[in-house]
């Protein structure tokens, strides 16, 4: 029976954005005779159809390490059927393991309505139909499982020794000496057996049911990918509701009733020579993607495989350091795992970076990832600051993140243009500073700086009021007496600080009254579509942050998405949204008698 085909709209959209003829592999998951195509990876070799079978396998193996576990190669996408030689199709069939019928997609630049899908069946290509499904549909049907653990690594600091030790570690895990625990419940997963592999729930229960158990035990939930913490009533998007956290336990003792005792005497080989020893603790952090209707016991194999993928990325990091070393006494940099969620992809991307390497030294690696995943090169996706923030990683009492999510626009027939990416909400009385009455522009600046930090453009900490004042004194804009004062700043001072602290330039727009802001709908919409940065606006004695506009260009109706820094309460999203501290406001919100300046930060280009 041939599988039903469902292709993520993210895959279609990225093919639509391709500007040159490229070919690559399709990645997906199988469930209930349905093939879900959720990702693609363009081949970094110019002539991928000329690669040997071993080279194809190596290319696929390296690419899939960046995808969530259970997502595997399922086919090939290209602009010409000249690739579909018998030798290539045979090699593809051998490298596709999740289905017996690899998928072939044939597309034309600028004409994606005519994408042709074929399945490779018994050495023949058979035309197939497919359904395009939204990102929301994918996230609703699948659950993401995050495994975090630590494993000791001790071996000689040589490439062969590291590889051999990690292989032995993988074999130890695969041999069944581990148990997986879901810390938000009393569920333990000991094996893939439906009879005795689970403690805490029955072997017939599904991953979705386990998610429900986790959800009912939590008092805090999150909005949109772990971005906002919400107290009280459950109110969360599929992305965060269906994230399962897992920890791993290693078996430290033998089972005398099952395992036979070792009947041979130990043999010790003593080699007397000098060598360098690598002794460290590996931090494992993996993501798996499984269907909600999968049995919980099936997670055991997926989790073991996810650990193998992460260890392989870590091994590659160690081996790269050894191969690039020119000094035999070089210092080993610990590998660190990051999970990214580019909005164009719709799936997690896992990357391992060397801890001691600065983002500026990783430009080549990031560009390769952009090319692999068909992502534009005009903005960063894989800098450390772009890493996905999971709810469990958010510090207690930290500023809320993306507090506008969930608010509904209200302009009839309007087009919504919003801030792109992540920001932190900074407002009065945070950081144990009572700046009520004078610090609103400082807080708006902090929110803007947080945006550049979250998007990976800057590693600078959020500036304090004192640092902002000192910056303005240093550049000669203010006298020395300004430091430590409670004096206001405006849009121009915000732009000065952004340029001095981050190297970011800004545009300044001025209007003579609040009513005149109603004429800026098109210009502000363009800013959010192209730049995507928050806008600071100051007028009279007040400053606010604009996060978006809802604009009907035919009628001229316009509303602003306002983030108000004058809020003095606790980090409670329900109050912030319910009381209008973040919300959609009409032109009447602005003071008709006030003169307004707007600071529009310009986003740097490049990955």
């Amino acid at each position: 029976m041939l599988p039903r085909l469902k292709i993520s709209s993210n895959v279609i959209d990225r093919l639509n954005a391709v500007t040159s003829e490229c070919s690559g592999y399709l990645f997906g998951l199988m469930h209930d005779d349905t093939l879900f195509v959720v990702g693609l990876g363009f081949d970094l070799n110019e002539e991928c159809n000329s690669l040997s079978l071993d080279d194809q396998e190596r290319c696929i193996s390296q690419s899939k390490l960046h995808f969530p576990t259970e997502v595997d190669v399922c086919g090939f996408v290209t602009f010409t059927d000249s690739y579909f030689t018998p030798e290539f199709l045979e090699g593809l069939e051998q490298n596709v393991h999740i289905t017996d019928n690899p998928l072939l997609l044939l597309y034309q630049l600028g004409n994606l309505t005519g994408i042709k899908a074929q399945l490779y069946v018994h050495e023949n290509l058979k035309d197939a139909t497919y359904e395009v499904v939204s990102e929301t549909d994918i996230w609703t049907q699948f659950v993401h499982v995050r495994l975090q653990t630590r494993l000791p690594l001790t071996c000689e600091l040589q490439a062969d020794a590291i590889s051999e030790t990690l292989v032995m570690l993988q074999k130890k895990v695969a041999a069944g000496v581990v148990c997986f625990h879901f810390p938000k419940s009393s569920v333990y997963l000991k094996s893939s057996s439906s009879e005795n592999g689970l403690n805490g729930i029955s072997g017939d229960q599904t991953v979705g049911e386990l998610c429900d158990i986790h959800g009912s035990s939590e008092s805090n939930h999150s909005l949109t990918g772990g971005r906002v913490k919400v107290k009280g009533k459950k109110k969360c998007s599929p992305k965060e509701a269906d994230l399962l956290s897992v920890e791993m336990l290693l078996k430290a003792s033998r089972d005398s009733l099952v395992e036979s005792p070792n009947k041979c005497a130990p043999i010790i080989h003593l080699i007397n020579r000098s060598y360098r020893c690598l002794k460290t603790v590996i931090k494992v952090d993996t993501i798996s993607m499984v269907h909600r209707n999968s049995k919980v016991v099936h997670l055991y194999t997926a989790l073991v495989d996810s650990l193998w993928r992460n260890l392989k990325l870590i091994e590659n990091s160690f081996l790269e350091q050894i191969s690039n070393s020119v000094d035999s006494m070089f210092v080993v940099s610990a590998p660190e795992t990051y999970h990214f969620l580019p909005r164009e992809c719709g799936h997690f991307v896992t990357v391992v970076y060397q801890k001691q390497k600065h983002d500026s030294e990783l430009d080549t690696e990031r560009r390769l990832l952009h090319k692999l995943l068909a992502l534009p090169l005009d903005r960063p996706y894989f800098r450390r600051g772009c890493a996905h923030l999971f709810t469990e990683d958010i510090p207690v009492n930290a500023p809320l993140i993306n507090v506008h999510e969930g608010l509904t626009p209200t302009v009839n027939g309007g087009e919504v243009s919003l801030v792109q990416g992540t920001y932190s909400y900074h407002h009065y009385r945070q950081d144990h500073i009572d700046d009520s009455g004078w610090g609103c522009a400082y807080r708006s600046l902090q929110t803007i700086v947080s945006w550049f930090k979250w998007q990976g453009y800057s590693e600078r900490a959020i500036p304090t009021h004192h640092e902002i004042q000192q910056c303005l004194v240093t550049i000669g804009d203010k006298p020395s007496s300004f430091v430590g004062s409670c004096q206001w700043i405006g849009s121009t001072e915000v732009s000065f600080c952004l340029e001095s602290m981050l190297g970011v330039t800004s545009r300044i727009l001025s209007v003579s009254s609040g009513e005149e802001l109603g004429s800026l709908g098109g210009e502000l919409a363009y800013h959010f579509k192209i730049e995507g940065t928050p806008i600071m606006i100051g007028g009279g004695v007040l400053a606010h942050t604009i996060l978006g506009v809802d604009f009907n260009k035919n009628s001229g109706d316009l509303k602003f998405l306002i983030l108000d820094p004058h809020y003095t309460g606790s980090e409670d999203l329900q109050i912030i949204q319910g009381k209008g501290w973040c919300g959609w406001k009409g032109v009447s919100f602005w003071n008709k008698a006030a003169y307004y300046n707007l600071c529009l930060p310009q986003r740097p280009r490049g990955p």
Side-chain angles (χ1 to χ4, degrees), residues 331-568:
V331 178
V332 178
S333 178
E336 293 182 324
T337 301
Y338 295 88
H339 302 296
F340 302 92
L341 187 57
R343 61 176 183 171
E344 286 87 348
C345 289
H347 61 76
F348 281 103
V349 179
T350 300
V351 183
V352 169
Y353 290 139
Q354 297 171 27
K355 184 176 182 178
Q356 294 178 359
K357 268 196 173 183
H358 189 270
D359 272 344
S360 60
E361 302 176 84
L362 298 169
D363 182 74
T364 301
E365 290 91 328
R366 293 199 304 271
R367 287 181 180 273
L368 287 175
L369 285 169
H370 279 247
K371 184 176 180 181
L372 172 71
L373 299 169
L375 294 173
L377 288 168
D378 66 339
R379 65 192 63 195
Y381 291 94
F382 302 111
R383 296 185 186 182
R384 289 181 174 92
C386 304
H388 184 75
L389 182 65
F390 296 94
T391 303
E392 58 201 35
D393 297 334
I394 300 177
V396 178
N397 296 323
L400 297 181
I401 299 171
N402 284 21
V403 294
H404 70 283
E405 292 178 339
L407 295 173
T408 304
T410 57
V411 172
N412 185 24
E415 182 179 358
V416 177
S417 304
L418 296 175
V419 60
Q420 300 175 20
T422 305
Y423 63 88
S424 303
Y425 178 28
H426 294 267
H427 56 79
Y428 277 170
R429 295 185 181 177
Q430 283 180 333
D431 313 313
H432 308 291
I433 297 176
D434 186 0
D435 54 348
S436 299
W438 62 274
C440 50
Y442 293 80
R443 298 300 186 178
S444 181
L445 172 59
Q446 289 177 332
T447 294
I448 293 174
V449 171
S450 78
W451 185 92
F452 284 95
K453 182 178 175 65
W454 281 115
Q455 269 53 246
Y457 289 109
S458 171
E459 296 181 4
R460 193 199 192 288
I462 304 300
T464 63
H465 293 54
H466 182 275
E467 290 172 334
I468 293 170
Q469 292 175 339
Q470 184 61 58
C471 173
L472 293 172
V473 170
T474 300
I475 65 175
D477 182 67
K478 301 292 182 184
S480 58
S481 59
F482 182 67
V483 177
S485 70
C486 297
Q487 296 184 36
W488 303 327
I489 61 173
S491 300
T492 53
E493 287 90 346
V494 167
S495 69
F496 293 158
C497 288
L498 288 174
E499 185 167 11
S500 177
M501 293 178 172
L502 307 182
V504 170
T505 60
S506 303
R507 290 180 60 219
I508 300 293
L509 294 180
S510 301
V511 293
S512 57
S513 69
E515 192 173 26
E516 193 177 333
L517 285 168
S519 65
L520 297 182
E523 191 162 2
L524 296 183
Y526 180 81
H527 168 84
F528 285 113
K529 290 176 182 177
I530 302 301
E531 304 297 335
T533 62
I535 296 173
M536 182 270 178
I537 179 171
V541 297
L542 300 176
H544 294 84
T545 307
I546 302 177
L547 300 177
V549 291
D550 186 5
F551 178 53
N552 186 323
K553 62 182 180 181
N554 295 320
S555 66
D557 290 345
L558 172 65
K559 285 201 173 180
F560 303 82
L561 182 55
I562 303 299
L563 184 66
D564 195 334
H566 304 92
Y567 175 63
T568 59

Side-chain angles (χ1 to χ4, degrees), residues 267-271:
I267 300 175
I268 299 176
H269 293 275
L270 177 61
I271 302 175

Side-chain angles (χ1 to χ4, degrees), residues 32-70:
D32 194 23
D33 295 324
T34 300
L35 176 60
F36 295 86
V37 182
V38 298
L40 57 85
F42 281 123
D43 202 301
L44 302 182
N45 299 279
E46 293 185 1
E47 296 294 337
C48 53
N49 64 330
S50 64
L51 294 177
S52 67
L53 181 59
D54 289 342
D55 289 334
Q56 282 189 47
E57 184 177 2
R58 190 178 304 109
C59 176
I60 292 171
S61 297
Q62 291 300 318
S63 297
K64 77 176 184 180
L65 295 178
H66 299 295
F67 286 84
T69 304
E70 295 293 280

